[in-house]
Amino acid sequence: MAETFPVKPKLRSTSSKTTPTPESKYWKSFKIPKDIESIPSKSLNYPINSLSFSPIAPHDFVATHSASFTSFSGQTLEPKFTVSAFSDAAASASFRCDGKLLAVGDLTGTVHVFDAKSRIHLRRLKGHAAAARHVCYPRAADKFHLFSGGDDSVVKYWDVTTEKCVFDLLGHKDYVRCGDASPVSDDMFVSGSYDHKVRVWDVRVSNAGSVMELNHEKPVESVIYLPSGGLIATAGGNYVKIWDMIGGGKLLYSMESHNKTVTSLCMGKVGRVKGEEADQYRILSVSLDGYMKVFDYAKFKITYSMRFPNPLLSVGFSPDCLTRVIGTTRGTLYIGRRKGKVESDHLGGDQLGLGVVEDEPQRSVLRPSYFRYFHRGQNMKPSEGDYLIKRPKKVKFSEHDKLLKKFRHKEALVAVLNRKNPENVVAVMEELVARKKLLKCVSNLDTEELELLMGFLQKYSTMPRYAGLLTKLANKVVELRAEDIRSSEQLRGHIRNLKRDVEEEIRIQQSLLEIQGIISPMLRIAARR
Amino acid sequence: MITGGRSFVSSPPAFSNDAKRLLVCTGNTVSVFSTSTGLQTGELEGHGAQVTSVIVVPASTPASKVLCYCWTASLDGTIKYWDFAAPELMRTIHIRFPIHSMVIPSISSERVESNGKYPDLFAYVYIEGGKQKEEQPHSSVGQIWKCNLTKSRLVGGVTLAKTERPGSITISPSGKYIGIYEKRKLLIWEIPGKDSEHHGYKKIRLHHTKPFTVMAFHPTEKVVAAGDVTGRILIWRGVGRRTFSNEINGGVNMDAEDRPGVRDNDDADSCSTWHWHSAQVNVLFFSSDGSYLYSGGREGVLVVWQLDSGKKKFLPRIGAPLLYFVCSPDPSLSSISSADNRIQLLRMPSMEILKSISGIKLPSSHMEIYEGFGSGVVLNHTTGLIAVPTENYRVQFYSLFDDREISEVQICERNHQPGDEITVKVNLVAFSSDGSTMSTVETRLPEEGIGSLFSLKFWACGLQSKHFSLSTVIYEPHRESGISCIAFRPTGHMAVSSSYGGDFKVWIHRHEIPTKDLTLQNNGWTCHAVGSYKKKPMTAAAFSSDGSVLAVAAEKVITLWDPDRNILLTVVGDSLEPITTLSFVGKTEYIVSASRGSNPQLTMWSMSKLCKIWSYRLDAEAVACSMDNSTFAVLALSRLSKSMEPAETTLQDAEGVILLFNVENPVPLSTWIVSKAQGGGLSFVRSNPRLEDEVEPKTPDEVLAYVNGAHEYVLFNPYGGQAGKVSIPHRRNFSVSDETERFGYTSIYGELPEFNLKIDQTPFPSMPSEETWKSIFSGPSHSLPPLPKLCSDFLESLLERRSAAVE
């Protein structure tokens, strides 16, 4: 017994890009939350120089822009406050390891320390002769010191409580623009400079200069420690390079997929997805070319890439893997939020739940005298080991399929034309061709139905996907129905539109041919070499 | 030697008296199938030509239901009487003329009057040819004669009718009337109740304006139904009231008004017409109580008409034109034979399909009309399967060694309307050398230049399931031009498709190691390279056995390419006509090419010398190369054989010749004459171990398989040296004969693992017929009969079986 098949359009070609990996699904799932879409703070008007997340939940973050910084709530993603206490543009911000203090460097060379909650200005660390472009608290446990790097090519190690510089670290020969503290040690940190060098410092051996020196070969824009503390990633020029610190500063890999200067790096984490990518770290890099790329430094492979309309300056990723923020030169903040439980909700729920005593209503035993007895178990979910017997999927027949089954060809064509899905229309036309009934259908159409067809042909006959069939069909339709077209005003309008579209298409084709004519000799020459 | 692939639908089948067996005319033999499992249980061998009729002797009493006797008639001019349970030939009657149809009217009434002496049994046979040689040979070749089966001779002087061509005789269920249709009239005779050799026959004629295609008698009333080529069904009531009634013209009224619809002065009371079928009616059958009429035709829909009201019920989507409808003695079982070589068993009142017995798909009558629609039968070298593209966009896999359908794959998801003009067809099928990948090309013909489509599909075979699943679809791989050939590289995942549009494409299978996680790797086929040679149509392609050289025929020359780097290595030769077939011979450096047309040629090229070694003027239908050694076989159409070898001019009846060559030697090693070579196929097939130990101990690895145009095939050992006519097989091995042997054991203890038969209908060991087994052990355990009774039943059934097997 033969099965019946509905009329199906041709398959679309699927490239490897369109089948998303779980990881690209993960990175795509960072979406702008609907409730903050309208707030004006998304646009801060000035370039966003730096973004920094608090290491403590709920992971508030600050963005520095012009002579101020704005703190955003990690829960609602709305701006909490803006501090404009600077005499020049703020350049860099860093949270202390407990998230209570915030250090911000500005272009006058001063490093300001604020209370992150009450925004009280606590300390001013003055000492840089030029702009303090980089500030960084140690990340492990040290709460009393911080590092800063300045355009005077000096890296300073500060004691915050006394507002004193403990010592200067000399060695860079150009602006120090970036740096990072080691995630495992309070004494180790790196700084990157425009003299193409990245230096690794250890405050325990401060007088000996840098512990290690790496040559990035481009002005270094950003440098970060990878979570193990043994690898660092540097960005400068179009490159992102991975270095092995333990192995004596060996270059492991150079990623060269950005087209313009890479401005910022940060660590990302693939969290809370199933599969082998779960809880793996990634390097997020943003560049002036508007791309954010996700780099898997275990496989040395770009796993995701996303384009933004503006040049990107800074990037931040919350430690709980829920928020991803990107700042641009235009002052726009792209805040992406994944759907997921914020941990604080958890806590709140638990607190509430403590007081309530669970009081399940006693369910009466079902007996065959109840109506529900006969419906029991319908919502039962199969357990893991159960063998599922699936009900065969019912084939859905749309209107045109039913009409085609009854051999009512013209009605099927009109029905599918009314549905305005070009793929299905072409599929039905192809089926009619296979039955050798298409031209008969065309010649039987009423004026209104012919109008419908002409509208369709005008719209789609120049689309490459359908052009093979539709251009020839348009020709035939005009041939077959010339009399009717002449007599109807609307049809004449359709013909005019069709003619215009065809002329446009011919122009495009000609210019394409011209381009091909220009290119093909070049390719010949290139092939010869 | 194994033959197979016979048509099951050349003549109507017949049920045995207990409705547990179905007798099907399959070529020269009658095959007995079990209706409960759909598997073959036996075969009646003995006829020398196609069997055209099989009539089971009906049982008049319930006790005689176990009797298994039947009469068969064949084109070899004999009527034979069989005991088909044994199976054993009982009697043979020589008629000397090809019998196209036979009916035995008094067969059921034979046993009624058992007063010691049986009356003679008479058969009416429709034979071809006759004694009137002095007349024009064309007219009246079909004649109906009477034959005394008891005395084994023809009844002289009784010729009921002479027609232009022999057709089939229809008999009424009561055996009282027989009828034939010829062109636009029906002829009906009354058979006297006590038939004897000398008897007059009353005859009536019924006329119509269209040629008839089928007729049927009502079981009780004087009603005759007939179908015509336009799909109309005509029903005459009160047929023969004047002629067949004893009183002579009692009260005849010749008024036309009183006899609506009846033409001229045909002997009938009324004639009504039903018209539902859009094309010719092939099946007409009255139900046994006479209240329903079954009809079927080209549309593949069985229609049930309520005779009084004309109301209809349908069994749609049978999938092919219907040919025969046969009822069994069991009222709940009947069978439909459809044109795609399939017999379907129906449970009757509900008309649901219980089982289907399918043979190899027959070539469609109008498949080869169009250019480029080849026969497309492909033999798989390793698995011993033959792939047959069917009319309903499928590919049927048929096992050559088992003579059984293995599976079907739907290539194109489109609703097939049997009887429609064919516009979409699967016209190329190719397999990779290990059989794991299949490639198909389907073509849609354009309507006045609009909407032609070629699509190339690659199918992957699962490791365990042996079922092909779609891997890649490529629409219009060569733009608007058709594909002439697909060839797979013997090593590695590479294929080439050559097109008439002047280019060929090399496709590779993307090697992506699937990762452990759930990511579905898209491992499809992608285009690796495109090549063309002077914009000439590429007509054939082949890879060398090590895969290093790709040979593509560019119309009349052979171009050799490096498939990996897509570099043209060299160009060889010049033939007179476009090359249609190209093949490397085994592991040697030789290429054999065949071109057809007005100057056909078979040429052997040496790749090392880049020159022609030898050539024949031979119209090669197919070329097959052995994989192991340097021999190859050619199937040549013998209309040119005179010029080739004078010895074959004497054999005019043969249509084709299979020639076995060695590459170095232009003299063929052996020659076989075959028939129906047009559209045939040829291939070397690796013989499976089962064949080796059963046929001959020293069977070579490869046997040659030849499939003729009617999809009948023969497998034989090409190196055996037996030249001459390909004869009928000496022994056939159907798997079911094994099954009868292990009947008692396996039904209790389950199937033994070494009996690895490919049974796809039934997962458990199936019994050839419904024996006492089912009745013994059916039902819950507490309601089983007591053990002594059960035991005796059990042993009895075993004994019964054993005796049958011994005989």
Side-chain angles (χ1 to χ4, degrees):
Chain A
M1 190 109 150
E3 305 162 68
T4 44
F5 303 101
V7 173
K8 274 185 213 149
K10 279 187 198 172
L11 299 172
R12 278 178 180 278
S13 66
T14 50
S15 65
S16 55
K17 275 171 198 158
T18 50
T19 52
T21 59
E23 185 165 337
S24 68
K25 265 188 213 157
Y26 172 78
W27 292 112
K28 246 184 220 162
S29 67
F30 286 94
K31 285 177 187 141
I32 298 168
K34 286 223 170 84
D35 46 336
I36 66 153
E37 199 137 23
S38 54
I39 55 169
S41 65
K42 263 173 48 188
S43 184
L44 299 168
N45 294 329
Y46 292 96
I48 293 160
N49 297 320
S50 118
L51 286 164
S52 177
F53 270 91
S54 162
I56 301 301
H59 304 297
D60 292 349
F61 62 94
V62 294
T64 60
H65 55 97
S66 75
S68 53
F69 72 87
T70 306
S71 173
F72 291 83
S73 159
Q75 271 177 324
T76 61
L77 303 178
E78 281 180 24
K80 279 159 79 178
F81 53 83
T82 302
V83 175
S84 315
F86 307 103
S87 47
D88 203 342
S92 169
S94 173
F95 276 99
R96 200 168 75 174
C97 57
D98 59 357
K100 284 185 178 155
L101 294 189
L102 174 72
V104 182
D106 70 8
L107 294 193
T108 61
T110 316
V111 176
H112 307 263
V113 178
F114 296 92
D115 187 312
K117 206 172 249 176
S118 62
R119 54 182 153 151
I120 299 166
H121 201 157
L122 299 173
R123 294 286 186 276
R124 279 187 182 79
L125 311 178
K126 291 187 180 171
H128 277 295
R133 292 274 193 175
H134 164 64
V135 178
C136 183
Y137 262 108
R139 276 158 57 181
D142 188 357
K143 295 181 178 174
F144 307 111
H145 299 94
L146 65 82
F147 316 104
S148 69
D151 282 0
D152 52 359
S153 72
V154 181
V155 178
K156 283 174 186 284
Y157 185 62
W158 300 90
D159 183 50
V160 181
T161 41
T162 58
E163 296 191 326
K164 288 255 170 62
C165 175
V166 181
F167 39 73
D168 291 348
L169 300 163
L170 302 173
H172 282 300
K173 297 193 178 67
D174 208 333
Y175 302 156
V176 178
R177 284 283 166 95
C178 56
D180 194 20
S182 164
V184 290
S185 160
D186 282 333
D187 305 318
M188 302 277 292
F189 62 100
V190 294
S191 63
S193 159
Y194 273 19
D195 63 356
H196 303 184
K197 297 289 194 302
V198 173
R199 282 171 194 277
V200 183
W201 309 95
D202 189 340
V203 290
R204 292 167 294 195
V205 286
S206 57
N207 39 8
S210 62
V211 182
M212 197 179 285
E213 184 186 310
L214 309 168
N215 189 358
H216 185 78
E217 294 170 339
K218 288 277 173 195
V220 182
E221 294 283 352
S222 183
V223 55
I224 54 166
Y225 263 103
L226 302 187
S228 65
L231 300 177
I232 62 168
T234 59
N238 300 348
Y239 313 124
V240 175
K241 295 187 178 182
I242 316 282
W243 308 84
D244 184 4
M245 306 265 295
I246 298 163
K250 196 173 66 172
L251 176 66
L252 290 181
Y253 189 76
S254 175
M255 174 190 113
E256 301 175 10
S257 63
H258 281 291
N259 295 324
K260 283 186 183 170
T261 304
V262 182
T263 49
S264 180
L265 298 176
C266 85
M267 285 315 296
K269 192 173 160 192
V270 185
R272 296 200 182 154
V273 289
K274 283 185 181 143
E276 65 175 73
E277 280 92 4
D279 287 336
Q280 280 192 356
Y281 288 96
R282 299 281 185 267
I283 297 170
L284 309 187
S285 62
V286 294
S287 152
L288 291 179
D289 59 5
Y291 276 97
M292 180 202 76
K293 306 225 174 206
V294 179
F295 183 72
D296 180 356
Y297 61 87
K299 291 179 186 145
F300 298 127
K301 217 169 85 181
I302 300 230
T303 54
Y304 185 66
S305 162
M306 189 170 183
R307 204 193 126 87
F308 291 89
N310 292 328
L312 309 179
L313 268 190
S314 51
V315 62
F317 192 79
S318 78
D320 61 356
C321 307
L322 286 180
T323 318
R324 188 253 308 125
V325 187
I326 292 170
T328 68
T329 55
R330 302 270 165 82
T332 319
L333 265 185
Y334 293 104
I335 304 175
R337 175 39 89 65
R338 267 184 79 225
K339 268 183 198 153
K341 267 189 195 149
V342 182
E343 276 169 36
S344 59
D345 287 356
H346 250 304
L347 291 171
D350 283 354
Q351 280 158 5
L352 283 173
L354 279 176
V356 186
V357 179
E358 290 296 314
D359 194 23
E360 284 269 320
Q362 196 72 39
R363 307 227 12 212
S364 53
V365 178
L366 287 174
R367 283 199 213 93
S369 53
Y370 291 116
F371 176 66
R372 264 197 318 174
Y373 175 86
F374 298 100
H375 285 261
R376 69 195 190 284
Q378 283 193 336
N379 296 327
M380 198 129 98
K381 294 275 185 299
S383 60
E384 192 89 355
D386 284 353
Y387 181 75
L388 290 178
I389 298 169
K390 289 216 174 92
R391 185 176 292 182
K393 225 178 188 179
K394 205 182 167 192
V395 184
K396 262 191 190 164
F397 288 105
S398 46
E399 198 187 347
H400 56 261
D401 283 320
K402 287 173 190 156
L403 289 167
L404 280 175
K405 261 173 83 178
K406 292 174 188 159
F407 305 98
R408 290 162 66 183
H409 297 129
K410 191 196 86 171
E411 282 96 328
L413 182 62
V414 173
V416 76
L417 279 171
N418 279 322
R419 299 302 290 271
K420 303 218 186 324
N421 182 345
E423 284 191 342
N424 285 345
V425 176
V426 172
V428 168
M429 284 178 176
E430 285 175 342
E431 174 62 28
L432 290 175
V433 164
R435 298 185 183 191
K436 294 205 183 287
K437 291 289 186 298
L438 181 60
L439 295 185
K440 193 145 213 177
C441 284
V442 167
S443 53
N444 285 346
L445 289 174
D446 292 348
T447 317
E448 292 97 60
E449 292 159 351
L450 189 60
E451 236 172 81
L452 207 60
L453 179 66
M454 293 301 295
F456 176 80
L457 287 176
Q458 183 243 321
K459 205 166 171 187
Y460 293 105
S461 59
T462 52
M463 275 179 77
R465 199 164 141 69
Y466 313 120
L469 176 70
L470 293 186
T471 44
K472 284 178 186 166
L473 178 66
N475 228 346
K476 284 276 177 194
V477 170
V478 173
E479 242 172 59
L480 282 171
R481 304 298 296 263
E483 287 300 313
D484 301 287
I485 290 165
R486 240 173 252 137
S487 59
S488 162
E489 182 58 43
Q490 281 95 347
L491 285 177
R492 265 182 288 168
H494 279 300
I495 284 287
R496 273 194 295 277
N497 290 344
L498 183 64
K499 197 176 166 195
R500 194 189 57 226
D501 281 5
V502 168
E503 277 166 0
E504 175 68 28
E505 185 64 27
I506 289 170
R507 259 202 305 285
I508 291 169
Q509 293 289 339
Q510 270 168 349
S511 56
L512 283 176
L513 277 177
E514 279 166 23
I515 293 167
Q516 195 186 11
I518 296 164
I519 290 173
S520 58
M522 288 194 218
L523 287 175
R524 268 299 148 73
I525 293 163
R528 219 171 280 161
R529 278 180 192 162
Chain B
M1 179 154 51
I2 296 174
T3 59
R6 296 153 309 171
S7 167
F8 293 167
V9 295
S10 57
S11 333
F15 280 98
S16 68
N17 283 326
D18 52 0
K20 283 168 189 166
R21 273 171 261 187
L22 183 69
L23 281 75
V24 182
C25 303
T26 51
N28 300 350
T29 59
V30 174
S31 300
V32 184
F33 286 89
S34 158
T35 55
S36 55
T37 60
L39 297 178
Q40 192 173 356
T41 58
E43 190 163 42
L44 310 180
E45 289 175 61
H47 279 293
Q50 190 183 331
V51 181
T52 50
S53 296
V54 54
I55 299 166
V56 176
V57 177
S60 48
T61 56
S64 60
K65 273 202 170 182
V66 289
L67 291 174
C68 300
Y69 298 107
C70 69
W71 292 92
T72 59
S74 159
L75 289 183
D76 64 356
T78 55
I79 298 170
K80 288 179 194 253
Y81 188 54
W82 306 82
D83 178 1
F84 60 84
E88 195 180 7
L89 176 63
M90 317 267 286
R91 273 174 64 198
T92 304
I93 299 162
H94 291 277
I95 302 293
R96 298 190 310 280
F97 291 102
I99 302 166
H100 283 261
S101 182
M102 174 177 76
V103 291
I104 307 174
S106 54
I107 191 163
S108 54
S109 62
E110 181 190 15
R111 316 234 166 238
V112 175
E113 37 175 315
S114 52
N115 50 359
K117 182 171 161 280
Y118 293 117
D120 286 355
L121 189 63
F122 292 99
Y124 294 86
V125 291
Y126 209 154
I127 58 112
E128 183 182 352
K131 289 160 187 162
Q132 293 85 356
K133 289 279 179 183
E134 66 274 9
E135 288 176 23
Q136 298 99 312
H138 297 295
S139 66
S140 49
V141 284
Q143 300 193 16
I144 298 179
W145 288 353
K146 189 175 177 182
C147 175
N148 189 335
L149 293 177
T150 317
K151 292 180 180 150
S152 306
R153 62 184 172 86
L154 282 173
V155 177
V158 180
T159 302
L160 289 182
K162 293 178 188 173
T163 56
E164 280 189 14
R165 62 184 60 213
S168 67
I169 310 177
T170 314
I171 183 168
S172 73
S174 60
K176 212 173 167 194
Y177 304 102
I178 61 167
I180 59 164
Y181 53 89
E182 194 204 8
K183 286 183 179 169
R184 287 174 297 203
K185 59 178 186 274
L186 298 180
L187 301 169
I188 298 167
W189 292 270
E190 188 183 27
I191 306 298
K194 291 183 80 174
D195 209 354
S196 62
E197 293 206 3
H198 309 288
H199 205 284
Y201 290 95
K202 288 175 184 167
K203 176 170 88 172
I204 60 164
R205 290 164 196 266
L206 296 172
H207 295 85
H208 183 43
T209 51
K210 302 280 183 329
F212 286 113
T213 53
V214 68
M215 69 177 288
F217 288 98
H218 194 278
T220 50
E221 292 166 43
K222 291 182 173 174
V223 176
V224 172
D228 71 4
V229 287
T230 60
R232 288 180 177 81
I233 298 168
L234 284 84
I235 294 170
W236 287 274
R237 288 163 202 273
V239 175
R241 184 160 294 177
R242 274 177 293 151
T243 318
F244 295 153
S245 56
N246 287 332
E247 68 268 24
I248 300 148
N249 290 350
V252 191
N253 48 352
M254 298 294 283
D255 295 339
E257 298 110 58
D258 287 8
R259 304 186 304 148
V262 179
R263 243 159 234 293
D264 304 338
N265 52 358
D266 287 352
D267 188 3
D269 288 352
S270 68
C271 175
S272 54
T273 306
W274 287 338
H275 197 179
W276 182 88
H277 293 280
S278 61
Q280 121 179 17
V281 184
N282 289 334
V283 171
L284 268 183
F285 197 88
F286 282 99
S287 66
S288 53
D289 61 347
S291 53
Y292 294 98
L293 175 69
Y294 300 98
S295 73
R298 288 260 307 270
E299 310 87 355
V301 181
L302 184 70
V303 186
V304 185
W305 306 82
Q306 202 175 14
L307 202 58
D308 295 334
S309 60
K311 279 181 185 160
K312 300 182 285 287
K313 237 171 75 181
F314 304 99
L315 174 65
R317 276 192 278 287
I318 292 166
L322 305 182
L323 294 180
Y324 312 109
F325 180 90
V326 175
C327 266
S328 73
D330 180 2
S332 68
L333 192 70
S334 61
S335 82
I336 303 180
S337 305
S338 52
D340 59 350
N341 206 0
R342 187 190 291 264
I343 298 174
Q344 279 161 329
L345 298 169
L346 299 183
R347 174 175 291 148
M348 219 30 226
S350 57
M351 293 207 291
E352 71 181 287
I353 292 171
L354 291 172
K355 279 277 173 309
S356 80
I357 300 166
S358 52
I360 195 164
K361 291 283 185 276
L362 299 176
S364 166
S365 51
H366 41 209
M367 262 191 174
E368 276 78 37
I369 297 170
Y370 306 106
E371 190 78 16
F373 274 20
S375 66
V377 173
V378 176
L379 293 112
N380 196 333
H381 175 83
T382 42
T383 53
L385 295 182
I386 177 169
V388 188
T390 64
E391 219 173 307
N392 53 352
Y393 326 117
R394 285 163 172 248
V395 168
Q396 184 196 34
F397 290 97
Y398 196 85
S399 169
L400 290 174
F401 294 108
D402 295 336
D403 194 11
R404 175 188 304 184
E405 182 191 79
I406 300 296
S407 61
E408 279 189 16
V409 178
Q410 184 85 33
I411 300 295
C412 166
E413 294 204 337
R414 183 169 181 260
N415 296 321
H416 172 62
Q417 186 58 39
D420 264 9
E421 193 182 353
I422 289 185
T423 54
V424 180
K425 187 178 177 296
V426 179
N427 59 337
L428 268 180
V429 181
F431 290 95
S432 63
S433 57
D434 57 347
S436 66
T437 312
M438 176 173 73
S439 168
T440 61
V441 175
E442 70 198 50
T443 309
R444 187 174 68 216
L445 292 177
E447 181 190 8
E448 297 188 27
I450 300 178
S452 66
L453 179 75
F454 297 92
S455 38
L456 173 66
K457 289 180 178 171
F458 286 98
W459 303 77
C461 180
L463 289 174
Q464 271 89 39
S465 62
K466 297 214 166 189
H467 201 83
F468 282 99
S469 58
L470 186 59
S471 156
T472 311
V473 185
I474 301 142
Y475 296 112
E476 309 205 321
H478 296 276
R479 301 218 188 83
E480 274 129 39
S481 44
I483 297 174
S484 56
C485 179
I486 307 171
F488 278 91
R489 195 181 189 176
T491 55
H493 295 290
M494 186 183 273
V496 63
S497 67
S498 60
S499 103
Y500 297 112
D503 60 343
F504 69 88
K505 286 189 178 179
V506 177
W507 307 91
I508 52 165
H509 192 252
R510 230 181 286 140
H511 285 283
E512 276 186 32
I513 304 124
T515 49
K516 291 188 290 281
D517 61 342
L518 56 159
T519 55
L520 189 82
Q521 297 290 329
N522 44 354
N523 46 356
W525 290 76
T526 47
C527 184
H528 172 67
V530 184
S532 66
Y533 180 75
K534 293 185 179 173
K535 297 245 159 60
K536 282 185 180 170
M538 299 296 193
T539 49
F543 278 101
S544 67
S545 64
D546 59 348
S548 61
V549 181
L550 167 65
V552 183
E555 211 162 19
K556 293 173 186 173
V557 296
I558 301 170
T559 57
L560 298 173
W561 302 75
D562 180 344
D564 290 308
R565 293 180 295 156
N566 198 32
I567 294 169
L568 178 64
L569 299 173
T570 182
V571 178
V572 186
D574 200 5
S575 65
L576 297 165
E577 293 281 329
I579 293 167
T580 52
T581 316
L582 201 61
S583 182
F584 279 86
V585 181
K587 293 184 170 60
T588 60
E589 48 173 27
Y590 297 98
I591 293 184
V592 57
S593 76
S595 56
R596 305 185 70 175
S598 56
N599 284 311
Q601 211 170 15
L602 178 80
T603 315
M604 175 62 67
W605 308 88
S606 165
M607 284 304 103
S608 55
K609 297 171 196 155
L610 296 175
C611 65
K612 187 191 285 185
I613 307 289
W614 49 265
S615 84
Y616 272 119
R617 196 178 142 87
L618 202 62
D619 192 0
E621 178 79 27
V623 175
C625 293
S626 163
M627 294 295 273
D628 299 328
N629 49 31
S630 58
T631 54
F632 67 97
V634 178
L635 171 63
L637 296 185
S638 67
R639 60 183 127 105
L640 286 158
S641 61
K642 286 173 207 153
S643 60
M644 191 198 66
E645 270 184 46
E648 271 153 27
T649 51
T650 53
L651 296 157
Q652 287 297 328
D653 58 332
E655 286 179 47
V657 188
I658 298 175
L659 301 155
L660 187 73
F661 287 102
N662 201 324
V663 272
E664 281 94 359
N665 194 354
V667 177
L669 297 175
S670 27
T671 310
W672 295 270
I673 314 284
V674 292
S675 58
K676 293 185 204 167
Q678 185 85 40
L682 197 63
S683 176
F684 281 91
V685 174
R686 195 169 293 281
S687 59
N688 59 1
R690 212 188 105 215
L691 182 78
E692 272 180 49
D693 53 39
E694 281 194 20
V695 175
E696 269 173 58
K698 55 177 198 66
T699 310
D701 275 354
E702 289 181 316
V703 292
L704 193 60
Y706 162 65
V707 182
N708 72 9
H711 290 185
E712 294 162 348
Y713 64 83
V714 59
L715 297 175
F716 58 97
N717 175 14
Y719 312 113
Q722 78 272 36
K725 198 143 185 156
V726 173
S727 63
I728 313 298
H730 308 300
R731 51 181 295 181
R732 276 185 37 77
N733 36 6
F734 21 64
S735 51
V736 191
S737 59
D738 303 348
E739 216 157 275
T740 52
E741 283 164 25
R742 62 199 176 88
F743 168 74
Y745 178 80
T746 49
S747 57
I748 301 171
Y749 297 110
E751 197 168 24
L752 287 172
E754 62 259 33
F755 287 103
N756 192 17
L757 300 176
K758 294 165 198 149
I759 304 165
D760 34 7
Q761 290 100 328
T762 49
F764 52 87
S766 49
M767 286 165 285
S769 64
E770 197 173 296
E771 290 291 338
T772 38
W773 289 109
K774 279 195 176 167
S775 54
I776 289 179
F777 291 117
S778 65
S781 55
H782 63 266
S783 64
L784 280 178
L787 197 63
K789 189 172 185 294
L790 206 69
C791 191
S792 66
D793 271 3
F794 170 71
L795 288 173
E796 200 174 273
S797 68
L798 274 184
L799 285 171
E800 215 175 83
R801 205 59 240 170
R802 174 64 64 90
S803 68
V806 166
E807 278 170 19

